[in-house]
Amino acid sequence: MAQKPCAMPMHVEDIKAELRKRYGSLASISRQLGLNPNALTAAIHKPGNSVRSERRIAELLEKTPHEVFPDRFHKDGTPISHVVDRKPTCRIPDRLRANGVAA
């Protein structure tokens, strides 16, 4: 029986538990990879914090980045951009400006 493709991301606690079962604490794994002791924890909890750390987590779990973090990576492994476009959509009317300067 064929399984459905993984549409939901792995739960944070499942990722941490799997890493701890295989390799020990997250801090020790980070140190062994030559990273800051909090690097893997930050990558798990904060999307886009470190794409390289997210990919290393997927490698350690023997999965693709998309399987572990489908909301952060495309199926081909390229990261999804989470950059917010901060261009103003309209000009502030002069009557709303204080002394002719934007607030």
Side-chain angles (χ1 to χ4, degrees), residues 50-97:
S50 173
V51 173
R52 188 167 56 183
S53 293
E54 291 169 351
R55 285 190 172 132
R56 286 184 173 182
I57 290 168
E59 288 174 15
L60 292 170
L61 296 175
E62 299 172 357
K63 296 182 181 217
T64 64
H66 178 73
E67 290 174 327
V68 180
F69 305 109
D71 53 335
R72 303 181 193 184
F73 288 90
H74 296 287
K75 286 191 178 192
D76 65 354
T78 58
I80 296 173
S81 176
H82 292 287
V83 176
V84 178
D85 183 17
R86 301 223 181 249
K87 293 179 185 172
T89 56
C90 64
R91 191 170 184 275
I92 300 171
D94 288 332
R95 63 184 172 79
L96 297 178
R97 294 175 181 250

Side-chain angles (χ1 to χ4, degrees), residues 3-81:
Q3 291 182 344
K4 290 183 180 180
C6 179
M8 294 290 294
M10 285 181 70
H11 192 276
V12 173
E13 294 300 324
D14 293 334
I15 295 170
K16 293 188 321 188
E18 190 68 31
L19 288 171
R20 285 183 187 131
K21 279 190 244 176
R22 292 183 187 193
Y23 305 104
S25 73
L26 296 178
S28 69
I29 299 168
S30 295
R31 281 190 218 102
Q32 289 172 11
L33 294 173
L35 304 171
N36 180 309
N38 296 325
L40 293 185
T41 302
I44 291 170
H45 289 285
K46 298 175 188 172
N49 185 39
S50 173
V51 173
R52 188 167 56 183
S53 293
E54 291 169 351
R55 285 190 172 132
R56 286 184 173 182
I57 290 168
E59 288 174 15
L60 292 170
L61 296 175
E62 299 172 357
K63 296 182 181 217
T64 64
H66 178 73
E67 290 174 327
V68 180
F69 305 109
D71 53 335
R72 303 181 193 184
F73 288 90
H74 296 287
K75 286 191 178 192
D76 65 354
T78 58
I80 296 173
S81 176

